[in-house]
C-alpha cells in the first residue's frame, strides 16, 4: 500500500513533536524526529558557538532517511525545511503559534535571552513558512494554527482525513 510522506515544520515550540507523535499513534505512518535522529547517529558537522548547539550534517541526515522516504508513510518533524529533497514530501505543514503562547512554551523549556528572542523573532517574521514556500510547491504548503489544545485536535483530525483520502486516491 502506498502511503504519503508528511513534513511537520515550524519554529521550536509550535507543537510539531506533540502533533507528529499523536498522528503516528492514530495512523499507520511512522514518526521521525530529525533532531533525535541526528543526536543518535551524531550526524553533525561542527559546533555553533553562538547558539551553543551542534550543526546538523544535512547530507548525512538525507542519506540516513532516503530509503525510508522512498518507501513512504513517514512523518518528518524538524524546525527547518529547506535542505530536504523536495520530492520526498506529498504535503508540508508549518505550525504557527502566537507570540504570547510561544514565549511561555519556550521559557518553560528553559530558553532564555538571545535564544528565546531569536526564536520569537523567527515566528514573527514567519521565517519557516517562507522557507517552506520557497522550498516546495506552494500548493502543498499549509499553515496550521497551534495555539490551543482545540487547535491541536482540529489539526489532528484534518491531517488524518487528508491521509485517508490520499491513501484512497493512490492505491
Ligand atoms: P516542537 O516540537 O514544535 O518544539 P512541542 O510539541 O514539543 O513543540 O510542544 C512544545 C510545548 O507546547 C509542549 O509542552 C506542548 O504540550 C505544548 N503545545 C504544543 N502545541 C500546543 C497547542 N496547540 N496548544 C497548547 N499547547 C501546545
Ligand atoms: Mg520537537
Amino acid at each position: 500500500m502506498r502511503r504519503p510522506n508528511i513534513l511537520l515544520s515550524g519554529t521550536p515550540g509550535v507543537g510539531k513533536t506533540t502533533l507528529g507523535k499523536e498522528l503516528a499513534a492514530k495512523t499507520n505512518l511512522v514518526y521521525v524526529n530529525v533532531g533525535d535522529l541526528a543526536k543518535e547517529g551524531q550526524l553533525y558537522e561542527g559546533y555553533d558557538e553562538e547558539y551553543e548547539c551542534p550543526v546538523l550534517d544535512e547530507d548525512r541526515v538525507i542519506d540516513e532517511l532516503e530509503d525510508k522516504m522512498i518507501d513512504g508513510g513517514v512523518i518528518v518533524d524538524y524546525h527547518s525545511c529547506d535542505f530536504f529533497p523536495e520530492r520526498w514530501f506529498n504535503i508540508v505543514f508549518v505550525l504557527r503559534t502566537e507570540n504570547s503562547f510561544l514565549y511561555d512554551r519556550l521559557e518553560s523549556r528553559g530558553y532564555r535571552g538571545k535564544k528565546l528572542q531569536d526564536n520569537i523573532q523567527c515566528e514573527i517574521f514567519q521565517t519557516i513558512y517562507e522557507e517552506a514556500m520557497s522550498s516546495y510547491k506552494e500548493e502543498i504548503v499549509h499553515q496550521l494554527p497551534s495555539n490551543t489544545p482545540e487547535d491541536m485536535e482540529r489539526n489532528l483530525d484534518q491531517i488524518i482525513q487528508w491521509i485517508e483520502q490520499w491513501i484512497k486516491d493512490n492505491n
Side-chain angles (χ1 to χ4, degrees):
M1 183 176 64
R2 292 189 67 212
R3 292 168 304 160
N5 289 325
I6 297 175
L7 176 59
L8 299 180
S9 199
T11 309
V14 293
K16 303 177 293 295
T17 302
T18 311
L19 180 65
K21 287 182 173 171
E22 284 273 328
L23 272 174
K26 292 186 168 165
T27 63
N28 61 355
L29 275 65
V30 173
Y31 169 81
V32 172
N33 186 310
V34 172
D36 291 349
L37 184 85
K39 200 171 181 182
E40 281 157 22
Q42 288 294 297
L43 307 175
Y44 301 126
E45 58 170 11
Y47 193 79
D48 187 324
E49 297 294 343
E50 189 182 358
Y51 290 98
E52 299 178 332
C53 65
V55 179
L56 204 70
D57 186 334
E58 298 171 348
D59 292 338
R60 281 169 67 209
V61 167
I62 289 168
D63 283 349
E64 186 75 30
L65 279 174
E66 178 71 22
D67 290 350
K68 243 195 203 84
M69 300 307 292
I70 288 172
D71 289 347
V74 185
I75 300 163
V76 172
D77 165 353
Y78 199 55
H79 58 255
S80 152
C81 62
D82 60 355
F83 67 92
F84 301 117
E86 187 190 349
R87 64 185 158 75
W88 273 7
F89 297 105
N90 302 102
I91 199 159
V92 175
F93 295 105
V94 180
L95 274 60
R96 303 299 310 275
T97 302
E98 286 164 25
N99 291 326
S100 55
F101 292 109
L102 190 62
Y103 193 97
D104 290 347
R105 290 183 203 167
L106 292 176
E107 205 175 35
S108 56
R109 187 181 272 187
Y111 285 24
R112 298 284 182 274
K114 182 171 165 54
K115 190 170 181 179
L116 179 55
Q117 292 309 329
D118 285 354
N119 280 294
I120 295 292
Q121 283 231 347
C122 173
E123 188 59 10
I124 293 173
F125 292 138
Q126 49 184 39
T127 309
I128 310 302
Y129 178 60
E130 281 172 17
E131 196 178 300
M133 290 290 274
S134 58
S135 305
Y136 302 91
K137 288 197 194 79
E138 293 189 4
E139 60 266 29
I140 74 158
V141 177
H142 304 275
Q143 299 193 81
L144 295 174
S146 181
N147 299 305
T148 63
E150 291 72 33
D151 289 340
M152 180 69 69
E153 285 306 311
R154 191 177 320 115
N155 294 336
L156 259 175
D157 290 347
Q158 281 184 6
I159 299 176
I160 289 169
Q161 270 196 22
W162 180 87
I163 293 169
E164 286 170 355
Q165 192 60 49
W166 191 96
I167 290 174
K168 267 189 206 149
D169 293 344
N170 289 274
N171 287 284

